[in-house]
Amino acid sequence: MTTITAEAATVLPTEAPTDLPGATRNRILTYLGVLVLLVAFGAPFGGLIQVPVSYFLKNKLHFGAIQVSEFLLITSIPLYLSAAWGFVRDNWNPFGIRDRGYMILFGFLCAGLYAVFAFAPVTAVSLGAAMIALTSAFLFVQSGQLGLTAAIGRQHVMSGQVSAVWNTVGSLPVLFAFAIGGFLSNALEGEHAEAAARNLFLIGGAVMAVIGAFAIWRPKVVYDNVHEEHAPVFKPWADVGRLLKHWPIYPALGVWFLWNFAPGSGTPLQFYLQDKLHADDATFSLWNAVFAGSFIPTFMLYGALCRRVSLGKLIFWGTVVGVPQMVPLLFIHTPGQALWAAAPIGLMGGVCSAAYLDLIMRSCPKGLEGTIVMMSTALYWLVSRLGDLLGTVLYQKFGGFTICVIAITVVYAMILPTLLLVPRRLLATADGETPVGGDFDTDPVGA
């Protein structure tokens, strides 16, 4: 079999997915893990930056629940259009090195923007402008990282392991941000709030500069195992047509939509814990840290099981366990009880979360991995923001959090019938096994 790197966009091979030796897989997963970690830490809409921004809005600028939700809804506009960044990634090859080119060019550009906004006056308007500009530049970096990750997972039947690493490592920045949330809240509430915000932006800029430098390195074990699957001639309308006709992406993204809608799991939960149960900022941050951290053991469990058990079984039983995920919140009456409930709530969501991302990677049409994974990113942010806003309205209208738990559980239950629409060939195999028909994608490339 001839291996062609992702940087030689001249031929369009048709290699079937191949299982790599264990040592090679582990080295690739390690590289991807470091890359995912850096990108997650640098995200302007991620835990390291967004958690402090939320505290600043609430404590320093005295935003209410609806105002915070509306701010997040507006500043996430670039995220709703993420698929466009992915489509650019699939068709533009900066410096002739494709994904590395995106991470180098826009990594350093994003670092510069962080530095500029670090010294701007901190107001609602400046924060909004900073979040939109930074997100717009960052999405090019993310499209390169996610496109590379999805392509490797699909081309070498290791999407389950890639999903496990992706989810586990991607949780760490969020876990870190919430773990120090109390400190951040205090720092961003006092008279030195602007200095604290400046330091956070400078840290974000430093992380992005590291990403740009990291992408200059080209480990052969990674990039010599990425096959070029892009048509040699840019045919955007043909790609759009191929994308629209590719049935597997619809149920996969439908499942993703339902799982991330979760009306009430964001702002309403924060105000419920703080206003009704009288939890302070530190307790709410600790709740989120326990919640995010509790996903990790079941992410790792998925990584261990995905080479032994078919995706179909993992995604079904993971969903069954995940549907009642938020029900324990009905039985909490104190901040301490909430902290105890956070652990099982997180554990219940790990396997299905990893399985849904695995399914998305398997559903990607050849050469359009960037478009699909960035489309899933767009969908995540759009539905989570809308779900947050809907949950806030329900919370304020009905005066309690019970209605939010009911709404979330009903939405999650709708995932089970949606799974019936997924093509069986995508669910029939475990990691490392040849897909039914020889490939996950049966559509001709470049047609």
Side-chain angles (χ1 to χ4, degrees):
M1 179 185 71
T2 302
T3 299
I4 300 180
T5 70
E7 297 166 272
T10 55
V11 220
L12 197 61
T14 57
E15 287 94 338
T18 55
D19 190 23
L20 297 171
T24 301
R25 286 200 317 272
N26 290 337
R27 292 170 66 188
I28 291 175
L29 291 171
T30 300
Y31 174 85
L32 293 178
V34 174
L35 188 57
V36 169
L37 182 65
L38 289 172
V39 171
F41 263 115
F45 47 84
L48 185 64
I49 302 298
Q50 184 159 306
V51 171
V53 167
S54 297
Y55 282 128
F56 192 94
L57 294 172
K58 182 175 182 291
N59 298 334
K60 186 68 176 178
L61 302 183
H62 309 295
F63 275 30
I66 293 291
Q67 289 175 300
V68 172
S69 292
E70 289 175 343
F71 178 91
L72 297 177
L73 191 67
I74 293 171
T75 56
S76 297
I77 288 175
L79 295 171
Y80 311 147
L81 305 173
S82 296
W85 275 261
F87 192 75
V88 171
R89 176 264 174 191
D90 291 336
N91 290 282
W92 178 41
N93 190 2
F95 308 132
I97 54 176
R98 200 166 290 282
D99 294 320
R100 289 173 54 234
Y102 284 100
M103 291 183 279
I104 294 170
L105 175 60
F106 291 99
F108 286 119
L109 176 60
C110 198
L113 288 173
Y114 264 119
V116 169
F117 285 110
F119 295 96
V122 183
T123 65
V125 173
S126 66
L127 278 177
M131 296 294 283
I132 290 174
L134 287 166
T135 299
S136 298
F138 176 84
L139 285 174
F140 283 109
V141 177
Q142 189 178 48
S143 66
Q145 178 254 306
L146 294 184
L148 171 67
T149 303
I152 290 177
R154 188 185 58 76
Q155 290 178 2
H156 296 292
V157 283
M158 54 188 290
S159 55
Q161 290 180 298
V162 166
S163 176
V165 170
W166 184 343
N167 279 287
T168 299
V169 175
S171 300
L172 297 180
V174 178
L175 177 61
F176 174 78
F178 280 122
I180 62 171
F183 167 78
L184 292 174
S185 175
N186 293 333
L188 291 167
E189 189 174 5
E191 59 183 16
H192 301 296
E194 291 198 7
R198 179 181 304 119
N199 290 335
L200 285 168
F201 276 90
L202 290 175
I203 291 172
V207 172
M208 294 308 302
V210 170
I211 292 172
F214 183 77
I216 295 174
W217 176 42
R218 185 193 182 281
K220 291 184 177 181
V221 70
V222 177
Y223 291 96
D224 282 357
N225 281 301
V226 183
H227 314 315
E228 177 59 52
E229 293 179 326
H230 301 83
V233 179
F234 179 42
K235 298 191 295 182
W237 293 116
D239 280 343
V240 170
R242 186 161 62 92
L243 187 68
L244 293 175
K245 295 176 183 177
H246 192 71
W247 166 252
I249 66 173
Y250 292 102
L253 292 177
V255 168
W256 192 246
F257 175 99
L258 294 169
W259 179 242
N260 290 294
F261 187 58
S265 61
T267 303
L269 178 59
Q270 177 182 2
F271 279 77
Y272 173 67
L273 292 177
Q274 294 184 323
D275 294 345
K276 299 293 185 181
L277 302 187
H278 309 293
D280 56 17
D281 285 341
T283 301
F284 178 64
S285 292
L286 184 57
W287 190 94
N288 281 284
V290 174
F291 173 69
S294 297
F295 274 80
I296 294 177
T298 40
F299 286 153
M300 297 174 69
L301 175 64
Y302 187 86
L305 292 175
C306 66
R307 286 188 65 85
R308 300 174 176 83
V309 182
S310 70
L311 174 58
K313 293 179 180 178
L314 288 173
I315 204 168
F316 173 76
W317 290 110
T319 302
V320 169
V321 173
V323 167
Q325 182 187 37
M326 295 297 176
V327 171
L329 291 174
L330 294 176
F331 304 99
I332 63 172
H333 304 287
T334 67
Q337 291 176 349
L339 291 177
W340 280 106
I345 291 173
L347 288 169
M348 292 168 72
V351 169
C352 59
S353 292
Y356 301 152
L357 189 55
D358 188 349
L359 176 62
I360 287 173
M361 284 188 276
R362 293 189 181 202
S363 302
C364 290
K366 287 182 179 180
L368 293 175
E369 292 88 358
T371 304
I372 297 302
V373 293
M374 292 302 287
M375 189 179 293
S376 70
T377 297
L379 197 59
Y380 168 82
W381 289 107
L382 179 61
V383 302
S384 61
R385 292 290 187 247
L386 291 175
D388 188 53
L389 188 59
L390 174 61
T392 302
V393 172
L394 291 174
Y395 175 73
Q396 293 194 338
K397 182 176 181 179
F398 291 93
F401 195 70
T402 299
I403 185 65
C404 294
V405 174
I406 294 173
I408 293 170
T409 305
V410 170
V411 171
Y412 284 178
M414 295 170 63
I415 295 174
L416 288 168
T418 305
L419 290 174
L420 297 175
L421 302 176
V422 178
R424 292 186 179 182
R425 72 175 187 279
L426 300 182
L427 303 175
T429 57
D431 261 24
E433 296 179 351
T434 302
V436 177
D439 201 345
F440 291 124
D441 180 10
T442 57
D443 296 337
V445 178

